[in-house]
Amino acid sequence: MSISKFSGIFLLMLTSLTACDRLGLPDPARDAAIRESDARATGSACRHAGRAIEDCYSLNPDASRAAVYAGWKDMNDYMRENKIDVVKPELAKSEASAKVEASAKDEK
C-alpha cells in the first residue's frame, strides 16, 4: 500500500471520528462540565432570589456544593458591585422549600 493511500484512509478515519458526539457515545468530561455549570447557575439563581447558601444546598442535594457556592459567591459579588436588589420568587412555594422552612422553624 502506498503512502498516499494510507494517508487517505487515515484522513477518512480521522474525519469520521470527529462526529462521535452525534453517535451518542458518553463523554465524561463534557458531562462533568455540564453538571458543574448547572450547579453554578443554581447557586447564582439562589443568591439572586435572596436564598441563603445553606438553603441552596438543601434544595439541590445532587448539585456539587463547591460549584453551587462558586455561583452563589459570583452573583453576590456582582449584585454588590452593581447595587442590585434581591428578586423574590413570585411562584408558589415548592414542597422542598416548604420543608426547609418547616425544619428551620422546628430548630428554633
Side-chain angles (χ1 to χ4, degrees):
M1 189 178 269
S2 69
I3 294 178
S4 64
K5 285 185 181 180
F6 178 73
S7 63
I9 292 172
F10 179 72
L11 208 67
L12 180 65
M13 289 175 47
L14 186 63
T15 50
S16 67
L17 290 176
T18 59
C20 284
D21 58 332
R22 293 186 180 201
L23 296 176
L25 298 176
D27 183 4
R30 189 175 128 241
D31 294 342
I34 289 171
R35 282 192 307 274
E36 171 90 11
S37 64
D38 285 347
R40 286 181 72 103
T42 298
S44 179
C46 281
R47 174 58 187 108
H48 194 250
R51 294 191 191 278
I53 189 69
E54 294 82 10
D55 292 343
C56 291
Y57 293 152
S58 58
L59 291 172
N60 303 287
D62 295 335
S64 163
R65 285 180 162 229
V68 169
Y69 175 73
W72 191 95
K73 185 177 179 324
D74 289 345
M75 180 57 80
N76 184 58
D77 295 344
Y78 179 79
M79 289 175 70
R80 284 184 184 210
E81 289 172 10
N82 296 296
K83 297 178 180 145
I84 298 174
D85 292 328
V86 170
V87 177
K88 293 289 182 184
E90 294 181 12
L91 297 176
K93 292 183 181 180
S94 67
E95 288 181 30
S97 63
K99 288 179 184 177
V100 168
E101 288 183 8
S103 65
K105 287 179 183 177
D106 291 342
E107 290 176 3
K108 291 181 181 180

